[in-house]
Amino acid sequence: MAAYVYTARDSSGNAATGTLVADSITHAQQLLRAQGNYPTTIRLASDAESDAVSTSAMADEQADIKIPRADVIQIAHQLSIMIETGVTLTEALDCIGSQCEKPNVKRLIEDLSRNVQEGRDFSSSLSRHPRSFPRLFISLIRASEKSGMLSKLLNRAVAYMRDEQETIRKVQGALTYPGIMLAFALSTTVFLLAFVLPKFTVIYASKKAALPVPTKILMNISDFIVGHWMGLIIGIVATIVITWFYVSTEGGARVWHYIQLRIPLMGKMFRKLHLARGLRMIGTMSGAGITLVDCVNTARDLTGNQYYRDLWTVVSDQIQGGKQLSEPLFQSQLVPRSVTQMLHSGEKSGKLGFVMEQVSTYAESELKEQIADLTRYIEPAMIIIMGFIIGGVALALLLPIFTISRVMSQ
């Protein structure tokens, strides 16, 4: 880890400077945004500046502990119940920490408790662990510290994270099943071509029978796989690695995200996923009293698609220029016009946060129905594809037997 010097602006627009310790400039940006700051410049600290922060920052091994999202949801749910019943925050954290069996979770709770006891805000203590607590969660806690509604906003954060986790799990399930089926079909085909077909080739050659065209094609493919298997493995691994690194770049990610949104059947699913998450995030935060610009900026930073990130950037810029949220959305092809019209109605009635949550709930329910339909259709489709591939290979293997039988009977 290294020390970085930064200049940033807080949520009120005030300038702030300081130093922090991070793995990289990207990590430093994440830490600052988790604290509610928007970095303008970040640079490596000089030796003298590094020495000044090394004692306090780099020696703190408890910072940025990562725990699973399911544990975060459980912690937030337990805190909301205990605080609602009148237990103080410190007592609630100590109680949860004493019952933890997972080492990382216990260390994180102890760190939160220690920081709160030292006089830090709870939101500042949470921002020390950006890999565990999402920015939306920290922003809601910061809003609760101003409004005094910690228990209520914890419940709101828990509801959001549960819905988000369930939606992501369903999308992953819809993508995993066809991937496994396709991999099984391809691996079975390669096994037949590499290990089974060569044994039949010897039999067919000894009979000197005229082979059907499908069998000849498969035999040529089999010969190529057997003769160049090492090169094929290296080529496949190299292709995967190169693709992985390319997608990790900004240009590669943009290409992949473009493909994501336009894949037949899957494209609509991804569009609804990113739109529903963004609207849910903005609606949840605006309902907690957070400014609309901060809500949109948080949705922009946490979205997983470059095109929706660009959309929220445009929305943020135009809101700061005095326009309403629905105006730039009307001009975007990523947002259905019916959704934009409902948001416009919410702005006119002064119930934008409520309307956004209702729209996101409807979009998520549509997404879940689409995933269920997709899964229902994928199963028979993959069975047909597997039957076509494996059945085609088996038929090509058996066709010469009938030819040999005719030759021998003549």
Side-chain angles (χ1 to χ4, degrees):
M1 299 180 76
Y4 292 89
V5 177
Y6 68 86
T7 58
R9 292 191 178 277
D10 60 19
S11 58
S12 302
N14 300 318
T17 60
T19 56
L20 53 79
V21 175
D23 294 328
S24 62
I25 290 181
T26 302
H27 186 207
Q29 291 174 338
Q30 292 174 349
L31 292 174
L32 288 170
R33 286 171 179 166
Q35 296 170 3
N37 296 320
Y38 303 94
T40 53
T41 62
I42 299 177
R43 63 175 176 83
L44 273 172
S46 63
D47 292 340
E49 291 168 331
S50 297
D51 292 339
V53 298
S54 61
T55 302
S56 58
M58 298 185 71
D60 190 358
E61 298 178 354
Q62 298 297 323
D64 203 10
I65 300 171
K66 180 175 176 56
I67 63 174
R69 183 58 54 86
D71 290 326
V72 174
I73 294 173
Q74 184 178 8
I75 291 169
H77 184 59
Q78 291 176 327
L79 280 175
S80 68
I81 293 175
M82 284 190 270
I83 291 172
E84 192 169 358
T85 57
V87 179
T88 64
L89 178 59
T90 304
E91 292 174 343
L93 288 171
D94 290 340
C95 180
I96 294 173
S98 64
Q99 298 174 2
C100 285
E101 297 180 356
K102 299 180 179 179
N104 268 8
V105 177
K106 190 175 185 67
R107 285 173 53 224
L108 185 142
I109 296 296
E110 290 174 350
D111 181 71
L112 294 177
S113 178
R114 182 172 58 254
N115 279 273
V116 170
Q117 291 177 28
E118 290 174 356
R120 290 190 184 183
D121 293 335
F122 189 37
S123 59
S124 300
S125 303
L126 294 171
S127 65
R128 287 162 46 84
H129 308 279
R131 293 189 300 166
S132 294
F133 299 101
R135 185 176 171 186
L136 176 138
F137 184 85
I138 297 171
S139 298
L140 289 176
I141 298 302
R142 185 175 289 112
S144 74
E145 292 169 343
K146 297 178 182 178
S147 63
M149 298 187 298
L150 180 58
S151 177
K152 179 179 178 180
L153 293 185
L154 277 171
N155 285 327
R156 187 185 289 262
V158 168
Y160 170 83
M161 289 189 292
R162 279 179 173 166
D163 289 340
E164 179 189 49
Q165 193 176 44
E166 181 184 358
T167 302
I168 292 176
R169 189 185 299 117
K170 286 183 177 294
V171 172
Q172 289 175 341
L175 297 176
T176 300
Y177 179 77
I180 292 175
M181 296 285 283
L182 184 60
F184 177 76
L186 292 176
S187 60
T188 302
T189 303
V190 171
F191 174 78
L192 291 174
L193 293 176
F195 298 99
V196 178
L197 188 58
K199 300 182 184 302
F200 281 83
T201 303
V202 177
I203 299 173
Y204 299 154
S206 64
K207 298 297 182 181
K208 296 182 180 180
L211 297 177
V213 174
T215 307
K216 290 180 180 179
I217 294 174
L218 282 183
M219 287 178 63
N220 290 332
I221 296 174
S222 175
D223 292 340
F224 182 80
I225 292 175
V226 173
H228 303 85
W229 64 271
M230 181 63 74
L232 285 172
I233 292 176
I234 294 174
I236 292 172
V237 172
T239 301
I240 293 173
V241 172
I242 292 172
T243 303
W244 177 265
F245 278 107
Y246 177 66
V247 171
S248 300
T249 64
E250 184 176 352
R254 185 169 291 275
V255 171
W256 168 236
H257 293 158
Y258 179 87
I259 295 172
Q260 259 188 8
L261 299 179
R262 286 160 180 80
I263 298 175
L265 299 179
M266 297 285 189
K268 290 184 178 180
M269 184 179 71
F270 280 113
R271 285 171 179 259
K272 288 181 180 178
L273 171 65
H274 294 300
L275 179 61
R277 287 187 65 189
L279 293 179
R280 170 75 71 180
M281 200 175 301
I282 297 172
T284 300
M285 295 179 68
S286 62
I290 299 171
T291 63
L292 188 57
V293 172
D294 288 342
C295 297
V296 174
N297 287 337
T298 301
R300 176 198 63 200
D301 294 339
L302 297 183
T303 189
N305 186 280
Q306 292 276 8
Y307 290 90
Y308 278 92
R309 191 173 299 139
D310 293 343
L311 170 64
W312 296 126
T313 299
V314 172
V315 170
S316 176
D317 292 341
Q318 295 202 21
I319 288 175
Q320 294 180 65
K323 293 186 177 181
Q324 292 185 320
L325 180 141
S326 60
E327 293 183 53
L329 296 183
F330 269 118
Q331 303 169 6
S332 174
Q333 297 180 351
L334 298 175
V335 183
R337 188 169 183 82
S338 58
V339 171
T340 311
Q341 188 62 51
M342 285 186 282
L343 296 179
H344 180 64
S345 301
E347 288 173 330
K348 291 174 64 177
S349 63
K351 298 180 179 180
L352 179 61
F354 172 77
V355 172
M356 293 190 83
E357 290 201 47
Q358 294 299 311
V359 171
S360 63
T361 299
Y362 177 72
E364 286 170 356
S365 65
E366 276 195 329
L367 174 63
K368 292 173 184 176
E369 291 176 4
Q370 186 174 357
I371 291 172
D373 291 339
L374 188 62
T375 305
R376 192 180 305 118
Y377 296 142
I378 279 178
E379 185 171 357
M382 292 305 300
I383 291 174
I384 292 172
I385 292 172
M386 289 179 62
F388 179 79
I389 294 174
I390 298 175
V393 173
L395 184 62
L397 292 175
L398 294 175
L399 280 175
I401 296 177
F402 298 109
T403 304
I404 295 171
S405 298
R406 286 199 300 270
V407 172
M408 294 179 65
S409 62
Q410 291 175 355

